[in-house]
Amino acid sequence: MSERREAGQAEMLPGLRASVADAKAKAAATRARKAAEFEPAATDPVARVLVDVPLAHLDRPFDYAVPAKDAATAVPGARVKVRFAGQDVDGFVLARTATSEHTGRLQPLRRVVSAEPVLHPEIAELTASIAERYAGARADVLRLAVPPRHAATEKEPSAAAGPSPAGAPDPATWEHVVHGPAFLSHLGSGAAPRAVWGSAPGDDWPLMLAHAVAATLAGGRGSLVCVPDQRDAQRVSAALDAVLGPDHHVVLSAEAGPAKRYREFLAVSRGARRVVVGTRSAALAPVHDLGLLVIWDDGDDLHAEPRAPYPHVREMLALRATQQDAAMLVAGFARTCEGLLLLRSGWAHELVSTRAVVRDRARVDVVPAEDRAVGSRVPRAAYDVIREGLASGPVLVQTPRAGYAPSLACERCRTPARCATCAGPLVLGGPTTPPTCRWCGTADPAWACRECGHRGLRAPVRGEARTAEELGRSFAGTTIRSSSSERVLTEVSDRPDIVVATVGAEPPAQGGYAAVVILDTWLTLAREDLRASEEALRRWLGAAGLVRPGGRVVAVGDPALPVLQALVRWDPAGFAERELADRSDAHLPPAARLATITGEPGPLDDALTLLDLPEVADLLGPVPLDRAGAAPRDEQRAVIRVPLASGPALSDALGELQRVRSARKLDAVRIQVDPLTI
């Protein structure tokens, strides 16, 4: 039976193939006839279209004919459908012209998806610069610039801005900053000052940024403020409401739903709002009459885009400030080496508070971890600061790890505790739960050390839940509140509570904290990373900056460490100087331009063979990629290093490599220019 069925199918196949071929031929003939019959637009019948195809060798505009029926809607910035490589693809109209350099017949636009001009000329130019800078495809950058269309929302008109701002910019909020009032004055006069601002402890930085935005708006220009996360965006938004009044700004972030995000984007694109606050997704918002660009805490890794071509918000805003002649403010409690380079080059000027202001705002001390510890690991000096702070307000305790006991070891021989099933690390989720594997989730209540057979466990690293438990025993009757990635507190009152928070989850307190205690500084410094010390200081300054004027800050660690000495002096600028000097001696970023190429050995070898590097380039590797804690993969990584002045040449070489690989359809490799970590 099966043989007869197969024989019958074999007889039918030629007929089926002929029918399919005939249908394809008829469809092609129909398309050709319609293309020949269409009537071109009378004015500017050629549209330059950037197609949404992430292939590097096709990363350029293509000319299409504009039918007369679409002449009024195929405007620059509009979304269109075009025929490309045998299929319908999305695209954006970049411009309309009278002629084309193409000598053959132009394909007509398939249809205009929307006449809404969502890709503005200055943003189109900026996306090209970003793609060139990071050796990526322009189509990938466009996805960051223009959110997905929401048709129902697009039909709604954008509400007009509210009445005139409720209040004028107040230079007094910047009086304690050297040249701060002058900076606001320049913004109000329409100038384009660029500065790197080091915030002092206790600064109400959202309010200060709001007054800078108000000064820019008073001068008739718009502003864009980029912050690391949604909590910071909400703080700045509340400050803008207080200074400008409602309905003068929008908040753009990935957390908003598609309808709301597109509605706010259209309000900016149409000019109904000229002030934007948001996370990295807002960096390319089409603000009309842009006058000020702000990035807060540029060292936070949330500013680095995790998708190709992996741009950083600071670099995107710097490119935008140069192209659109806008002011820029790189702000934060800490200072990155990249921010220092902006100062050294003369591209930006420094804004800092005087030493007298910093000394009056906060007293910072460092105490050794073994100095007469109270309870488990809180030294007597830190204990006293917590007790004194509770007499007048809330106290913040920062700890680097979440959970209860995120790391376990044998109590006798100190051997790390591992799972018997998958050899993953064991953790404790609470005081009464058995040790559980972090990788596979297997509980092991009868665990015994493989080295010595002992069954006792110790926790060399303790999380925020265990810290809160220990402080609750030491400060009976005091409310202990926790804030971590599992549950982030947005704000706390001025009640005398103890707030235990992990890094990045520290909630601001009404009026500021009376005291801030930073625990386990050794663990923060234990990262095997180029930016370990810089990142540690940034985290500590971020917590210490939440203290109220006149408050106390205590860090538990080795007082001899230079990074902790910089914290005591509140000297992020001096630490950045030393850090940059060390990196310059070692030819490491940002004193040098760096790129990585990651992939399997075969494709990586092909990429390195095709790559035409500048003569001054150093090729390091390739070496096997270290994937600690992840599934093993046969991947290698090569690092390419050039002097800073040769950075554009490196980007050009990598961009050409991307185009050659794309044209030859070679296996994929991942290319990152200036990766955040190495």
Side-chain angles (χ1 to χ4, degrees), residues 387-545:
R387 179 174 49 79
E388 294 170 4
L390 289 174
S392 58
V395 173
L396 173 65
V397 177
Q398 185 199 63
T399 182
R401 290 289 181 88
Y404 189 80
S407 176
L408 296 173
C410 175
E411 187 178 35
R412 176 186 294 168
C413 68
R414 304 298 194 260
T415 300
R418 293 287 176 174
C419 174
T421 303
C422 69
L426 295 182
V427 300
L428 280 181
T432 59
T433 59
T436 305
C437 179
R438 189 193 303 165
W439 292 356
C440 68
T442 302
D444 192 356
W447 176 87
C449 179
R450 294 183 179 180
E451 298 295 327
C452 66
H454 188 65
R455 294 186 178 275
L457 286 167
R458 65 185 300 270
V461 177
R462 296 160 192 177
E464 125 278 340
R466 176 69 175 269
T467 303
E469 180 184 282
E470 294 171 355
L471 291 174
R473 290 196 295 263
S474 299
F475 296 92
T478 301
T479 301
I480 312 293
R481 307 187 65 183
S482 294
S483 180
S484 66
S485 57
E486 296 181 356
R487 181 176 179 271
V488 180
L489 300 177
T490 56
E491 189 180 32
V492 296
S493 66
D494 57 357
R495 292 177 47 193
D497 299 336
I498 296 178
V499 179
V500 181
T502 55
V503 174
E506 305 94 343
Q510 295 178 8
Y513 288 97
V516 174
V517 175
I518 303 171
L519 297 178
D520 298 336
T521 57
W522 65 270
L523 185 58
T524 308
L525 290 169
R527 296 175 52 192
E528 294 183 1
D529 187 76
L530 171 67
R531 302 175 184 269
S533 296
E534 179 183 276
E535 175 67 8
L537 183 60
R538 186 192 70 82
R539 294 179 175 187
W540 301 336
L541 290 173

Side-chain angles (χ1 to χ4, degrees), residues 348-383:
H349 298 280
E350 187 178 39
L351 294 178
V352 292
S353 301
T354 63
R355 297 304 305 171
V357 169
V358 173
R359 284 194 297 268
D360 290 341
R361 289 290 185 87
R363 173 185 166 186
V364 185
D365 298 297
V366 178
V367 297
E370 65 276 3
D371 181 21
R372 293 183 298 157
V374 175
S376 57
R377 71 187 196 282
V378 180
R380 170 61 65 180
Y383 178 89

Side-chain angles (χ1 to χ4, degrees), residues 70-443:
D70 296 327
T73 55
V75 296
R79 304 177 197 256
V80 293
K81 284 280 188 182
V82 296
R83 195 72 180 174
F84 191 85
Q87 58 183 349
D88 289 349
V89 299
D90 296 319
F92 294 94
V93 177
L94 294 183
R96 291 274 297 274
T97 61
T99 60
S100 171
E101 296 180 357
H102 182 66
T103 57
R105 182 177 60 84
L106 296 179
Q107 285 284 335
L109 300 176
R110 299 287 284 175
R111 65 185 177 92
V112 176
V113 177
S114 169
E116 183 77 36
V118 292
L119 181 60
H120 294 243
E122 66 275 10
I123 302 301
E125 180 185 1
L126 181 61
T127 58
S129 300
I130 294 172
E132 181 181 359
R133 165 72 170 75
Y134 287 95
R138 197 170 174 185
D140 290 331
V141 184
L142 283 174
R143 294 192 184 99
L144 306 177
V146 183
R149 179 173 180 250
H150 195 273
T153 302
E154 195 173 78
K155 298 176 183 178
E156 304 171 1
S158 297
S164 299
D170 185 7
T173 57
W174 285 77
E175 278 184 347
H176 64 283
V177 180
V178 179
H179 306 307
F183 180 76
L184 262 64
S185 177
H186 284 304
L187 292 176
S189 65
R194 293 159 188 165
V196 177
W197 170 41
S199 185
D203 271 348
D204 189 352
W205 61 267
L207 182 63
M208 296 174 69
L209 293 183
H211 281 286
V213 169
T216 308
L217 196 60
R221 299 181 300 167
S223 300
L224 170 61
V225 181
C226 286
V227 294
D229 55 38
Q230 184 67 17
R231 291 190 308 127
D232 290 332
Q234 292 172 353
R235 293 184 64 189
V236 177
S237 177
L240 287 171
D241 281 337
V243 174
L244 302 179
D247 300 327
H248 280 284
H249 75 280
V250 299
V251 178
L252 294 179
S253 67
E255 285 79 4
K260 181 179 180 181
R261 182 184 179 191
Y262 196 57
R263 184 179 297 109
E264 304 288 27
F265 171 83
L266 289 179
V268 178
S269 177
R270 294 167 179 172
R273 300 288 185 276
R274 290 196 296 169
V275 177
V276 175
V277 179
T279 53
R280 64 173 180 266
S281 60
L284 301 178
V287 180
H288 288 218
D289 303 317
L290 183 62
L292 175 64
L293 295 157
V294 179
I295 178 172
W296 172 259
D297 198 9
D298 66 305
D300 196 312
D301 58 7
L302 292 176
H303 284 301
E305 175 61 46
R307 297 171 294 179
Y310 316 104
H312 195 283
V313 171
R314 178 187 54 246
E315 307 306 323
M316 289 194 289
L317 296 187
L319 283 171
R320 191 170 184 181
T322 301
Q323 290 187 0
Q324 298 183 233
D325 192 24
M328 183 168 173
L329 182 63
V330 180
F333 290 112
R335 177 169 297 174
T336 60
C337 292
E338 288 81 2
L340 178 58
L341 277 182
L342 295 178
L343 295 175
R344 284 190 175 181
S345 66
W347 192 86
H349 298 280
E350 187 178 39
L351 294 178
V352 292
S353 301
T354 63
R355 297 304 305 171
V357 169
V358 173
R359 284 194 297 268
D360 290 341
R361 289 290 185 87
R363 173 185 166 186
V364 185
D365 298 297
V366 178
V367 297
E370 65 276 3
D371 181 21
R372 293 183 298 157
V374 175
S376 57
R377 71 187 196 282
V378 180
R380 170 61 65 180
Y383 178 89
D384 292 340
V385 167
I386 295 175
R387 179 174 49 79
E388 294 170 4
L390 289 174
S392 58
V395 173
L396 173 65
V397 177
Q398 185 199 63
T399 182
R401 290 289 181 88
Y404 189 80
S407 176
L408 296 173
C410 175
E411 187 178 35
R412 176 186 294 168
C413 68
R414 304 298 194 260
T415 300
R418 293 287 176 174
C419 174
T421 303
C422 69
L426 295 182
V427 300
L428 280 181
T432 59
T433 59
T436 305
C437 179
R438 189 193 303 165
W439 292 356
C440 68
T442 302

